[in-house]
Amino acid sequence: MWFFSVAFLSLFVLETLSVAASVRLPRRSSNEIGRRDVPTSAAYITPVSLSKDGQAYYIVTRTGEISFRLALDTASSDIWITSTLCSTSECQSVPRYPVAYQNPTFVSVNENTTEFRASYADGSAVAGFVAKETFHVSNLTVPEQAFALISDSSVNMADDVSGIMGLGFPRVSTINGTATNSTPLFPSLAQQGLLPYPLFGLSLTRNDSGSLTFGAIDSSIVTDVDKIVWNEVVEFAPIGNENNVSSYYQWAVPLGGISVNGVPVSLSPSYPDVTANHSIAIFDVGTPGIFGPWADVSKIFASINGARLVDESGQWAIPCDTLDPMTFTIGQQNFTLLPTDYLIGPASGNPEICLSWPRAVTPGADEIDWQLGTPFLRTVYSVFSLGIDEKEPPMIGFYPLRQNTSISAATISSFLSSISVTIDTTLPNSLLATPSVTPPTYGLNSSVPAPTGGIVATELATQTYSPIFGAATTNLSALPLITPSPTVATFTTTDSAGLVSTSVSTLSVASVVLGVPPGWNSAPAAVHVPMIALMIPIVLCSMKDFL
């Protein structure tokens, strides 16, 4: 869930696994090169921005008539937004949904008595109640979408990000189990057949030029769909006697291997008997790092000269001029991270030493060993295909964005200067020993098979879709593409502190106000909601956020 990831809450995950199927789709003939571009009225594209603290990628949505920044999260499925009922400092630092405003599209669920709670691996948590509201993302409108309004929170968010938009499977949804007719947003679109194809695509950058698409792939980034490598998602066994069938739960695939500077690292899966001796990795846009089990992470840093463990949190540090590439094998494809991808920043007490990903953690009982967050996802364009009931399994496709896998010390130095990040860490005076960590007892029902790429009957897309990834053939020409507007515009953004920045967008732009209904005054003395002691300042954003 977001950058705290529910994967580390030891919830659930898969069981017996077959070898991951990495599907290299066949090249098309010349008469197929004119791919299926779909109009924006059928597919949807919206800009993705990185928060100023580098912790979250967000989009701007309209909830009813009110605009909010929501952090994207592929490890959860629910939407939640901070409300004016919450008075904690964490809530008051961001725009909040004004509950006193009588939004005509707001729908109460059980008179606002259906509770919502979520807790995260860092100890923070949110609580509130479930409601329904019309959500607008780009030109996509979803009426009566279930979400949570937060009345208590200890979750810190930066850059006026007010909540989370989950993009995961229905099974991981808390709301789905508590409110009727409350399928999460992305699965709901796919189950109703409202998209050209049941997928979403993500482009992540270190600025405001990324994109989120629903129903099609961003053709301005993916110029050759033949180079997308597809991987079947693993199923997850039930919890205890929950039921007697496995189902899809996380965007997870078996990890083929890891190497450092071309030398393979021997992986040690936490539950080899139930995962066919494979390590399982989830891909989470809500996590600004890479996390793996102690046994594997210690082997990775043993392969890097000068690496040392910083503290018991599992953080390692390496020389800032390290040139070693770090390669993750997914299916049969290698994806290489350079130091500019995995270095976090220099230690304040030792500026020649940089903290580095991955960080070691104790595996949960769900058998997920690896969590590959934004340092990995920035190196690829990623496509998450939900699959089709009784026809097609969920798939994750990766389109490599890097051709050159070498780097110079000067490039690394320039990169570290550009990000201007110094970590408040002083290395210990002595070398720390790597602890020996034993995984907890497996928490799922090991008697229920949970294969990779299994065909299931429910909770995926409606059967009205024709499968692209068929059992015998693939129909790549049917993969929808969407092209952003080529218009380039310059715009300014004013944050709540009055700081002004200038950016360039390839989408049409305009200003929106975050957290304030149309016609309302956001000044502290606003009379519309006298119950609120502190109103939200006006924040000007671009229409690229609004779309």
Side-chain angles (χ1 to χ4, degrees):
M1 172 85 178
W2 197 33
F3 62 85
F4 306 111
S5 183
V6 292
F8 295 147
L9 295 179
S10 304
L11 296 179
F12 330 78
V13 192
L14 66 140
E15 213 247 15
T16 50
L17 299 171
S18 59
V19 176
S22 177
V23 183
R24 172 73 76 173
L25 296 175
R27 297 195 64 82
R28 293 162 297 151
S29 60
S30 58
N31 62 354
E32 294 177 310
I33 296 301
R35 297 179 297 247
R36 182 191 172 199
D37 286 283
V38 297
T40 55
S41 59
Y44 312 90
I45 184 168
T46 192
V48 173
S49 300
L50 178 62
S51 62
K52 292 177 182 177
D53 65 352
Q55 298 299 297
Y57 281 93
Y58 66 84
I59 63 171
V60 170
T61 69
R62 275 192 300 129
T63 306
E65 299 175 314
I66 312 169
S67 296
F68 293 99
R69 290 177 174 175
L70 299 182
L72 299 176
D73 184 18
T74 49
S76 69
S77 297
D78 295 323
I79 300 172
W80 62 257
I81 299 176
T82 303
S83 83
T84 50
L85 293 176
C86 183
S87 59
T88 66
S89 59
E90 290 83 359
C91 289
Q92 293 196 14
S93 66
V94 301
R96 296 173 290 168
Y97 186 100
V99 294
Y101 178 67
Q102 300 298 314
N103 200 354
T105 56
F106 179 88
V107 178
S108 173
V109 174
N110 297 326
E111 298 182 349
N112 298 339
T113 61
T114 300
E115 291 187 350
F116 174 86
R117 294 182 181 274
S119 56
Y120 307 113
D122 68 342
S124 64
V126 294
F129 59 90
V130 177
K132 293 185 179 181
E133 181 61 281
T134 296
F135 277 79
H136 305 269
V137 180
S138 181
N139 55 326
L140 167 66
T141 298
V142 184
E144 296 194 13
Q145 174 61 48
F147 76 116
L149 282 171
I150 299 306
S151 56
D152 186 27
S153 173
S154 59
V155 174
N156 281 300
M157 289 186 165
D159 208 6
D160 292 323
V161 174
S162 298
I164 289 174
M165 175 175 283
L167 296 170
F169 292 93
R171 181 177 168 184
V172 77
S173 168
T174 298
I175 295 176
N176 192 38
T178 60
T180 58
N181 300 318
S182 58
T183 305
L185 186 142
F186 170 59
S188 177
L189 295 172
Q191 289 174 13
Q192 296 179 67
L194 299 179
L195 302 174
Y197 205 74
L199 60 79
F200 66 89
L202 272 176
S203 167
L204 305 181
T205 67
R206 293 184 181 273
N207 51 40
D208 292 346
S209 62
S211 68
L212 167 67
T213 60
F214 285 109
I217 292 172
D218 188 340
S219 63
S220 69
I221 300 168
V222 180
T223 58
D224 186 354
V225 293
D226 296 318
K227 293 182 179 179
I228 301 176
V229 179
W230 297 93
N231 299 270
E232 293 178 342
V233 175
V234 300
E235 289 185 52
F236 290 57
I239 302 173
N241 296 321
E242 175 186 28
N243 51 48
N244 60 357
V245 296
S246 60
S247 61
Y248 288 101
Y249 176 71
Q250 290 282 14
W251 292 108
V253 303
L255 185 62
I258 299 176
S259 63
V260 177
N261 203 23
V263 179
V265 172
S266 176
L267 300 181
S268 302
S270 298
Y271 304 94
D273 293 338
V274 293
T275 62
N277 204 34
H278 284 93
S279 295
I280 306 303
I282 69 169
F283 298 88
D284 182 12
V285 66
T287 297
I290 298 175
F291 298 85
W294 279 92
D296 294 347
V297 173
S298 61
K299 294 174 186 175
I300 288 174
F301 287 109
S303 303
I304 299 177
N305 290 331
R308 56 184 298 191
L309 180 62
V310 172
D311 55 38
E312 60 184 13
S313 73
Q315 181 66 63
W316 258 265
I318 62 177
C320 292
D321 59 359
T322 296
L323 300 177
D324 295 338
M326 193 179 298
T327 299
F328 291 81
T329 301
I330 303 168
Q332 305 301 316
Q333 180 75 19
N334 291 332
F335 298 90
T336 297
L337 273 63
L338 298 177
T340 47
D341 301 312
Y342 63 75
L343 289 178
I344 301 172
S348 58
N350 305 81
E352 291 77 30
I353 301 296
C354 281
L355 275 61
S356 173
W357 302 114
R359 181 180 294 176
V361 294
T362 301
D366 54 15
E367 76 194 49
I368 290 179
D369 279 332
W370 282 88
Q371 186 177 25
L372 301 184
T374 56
F376 174 85
L377 292 173
R378 276 194 289 260
T379 69
V380 296
Y381 181 88
S382 51
V383 186
F384 298 79
S385 180
L386 187 65
I388 304 170
D389 289 340
E390 297 186 351
K391 290 184 177 182
E392 180 177 282
M395 308 281 284
I396 303 178
F398 296 120
Y399 178 78
L401 299 177
R402 170 177 292 127
Q403 304 300 323
N404 187 5
T405 57
S406 62
I407 196 169
S408 67
T411 300
I412 297 174
S413 177
S414 176
F415 164 75
L416 293 175
S417 297
S418 68
I419 62 173
S420 301
V421 174
T422 300
I423 312 300
D424 187 16
T425 300
T426 300
L427 302 186
N429 293 327
S430 59
L431 296 178
L432 302 181
T434 303
S436 178
V437 177
T438 301
T441 302
Y442 182 59
L444 306 183
N445 188 342
S446 60
S447 65
V448 178
T452 297
I455 302 297
V456 298
T458 62
E459 296 199 327
L460 302 182
T462 173
Q463 295 184 40
T464 57
Y465 287 107
S466 297
I468 287 178
F469 311 104
T473 61
T474 58
N475 183 20
L476 190 59
S477 62
L479 192 63
L481 301 174
I482 185 170
T483 303
S485 168
T487 303
V488 176
T490 301
F491 63 94
T492 59
T493 299
T494 303
D495 66 15
S496 56
L499 299 177
V500 179
S501 61
T502 301
S503 304
V504 175
S505 172
T506 56
L507 299 177
S508 57
V509 294
S511 296
V512 297
V513 179
L514 297 177
V516 180
W520 275 38
N521 184 348
S522 62
V527 296
H528 301 278
V529 279
M531 62 178 289
I532 301 173
L534 180 64
M535 294 300 295
I536 302 159
I538 293 178
V539 180
L540 297 180
C541 306
S542 67
M543 177 58 88
K544 79 185 197 65
D545 289 332
F546 180 80
L547 292 176

